Amino acid sequence: MRNLFQIEGKNILFFEAESNYTTIHLRNGKKILSSFTLARYQEHFPGFLRINRKHLLNPEYVLSVEPKQFRISMKDNRRFIISRRRINVCII
């Protein structure tokens, strides 16, 4: 098993939490399922944006932030909802 922390941040679009597991969405379209929690990845990738309970985004791939709509758009056309308590983290 390879060490998941050896994946370069520039190759990661975002992390998505599901209970005690995390799916890592890579730039090349692949997904990796990990038994680490999202909080653990947040510690290892401090520059990433924790926008809600389920998502940790790579700011390099953020296209726009709409604070009034609590929405964030990515360069690959995905959209995410920002939790109200985390909106200040997302205003770039």
Side-chain angles (χ1 to χ4, degrees), residues 3-21:
N3 184 349
L4 293 174
F5 291 117
Q6 290 180 347
I7 298 171
E8 291 184 63
K10 67 180 182 179
N11 293 321
I12 299 169
L13 291 175
F14 65 96
F15 296 91
E16 184 173 26
E18 190 70 39
S19 187
N20 287 329
Y21 293 91

Side-chain angles (χ1 to χ4, degrees), residues 52-68:
N52 57 38
R53 246 181 355 171
K54 288 187 68 166
H55 296 100
L56 180 65
L57 308 182
N58 186 339
E60 291 182 36
Y61 299 105
V62 171
L63 181 63
S64 65
V65 177
E66 301 170 53
K68 291 183 181 178

Side-chain angles (χ1 to χ4, degrees), residues 49-52 55 57 61-75 77-92:
L49 302 171
R50 182 78 181 260
I51 62 164
N52 57 38
H55 296 100
L57 308 182
Y61 299 105
V62 171
L63 181 63
S64 65
V65 177
E66 301 170 53
K68 291 183 181 178
Q69 286 80 28
F70 294 93
R71 191 172 26 197
I72 194 164
S73 299
M74 302 290 283
K75 291 180 181 177
N77 295 321
R78 294 179 206 243
R79 290 186 177 177
F80 297 95
I81 300 297
I82 306 166
S83 69
R84 291 185 187 277
R85 64 181 259 216
R86 297 191 187 268
I87 192 68
N88 292 335
V89 174
C90 298
I91 298 174
I92 301 171

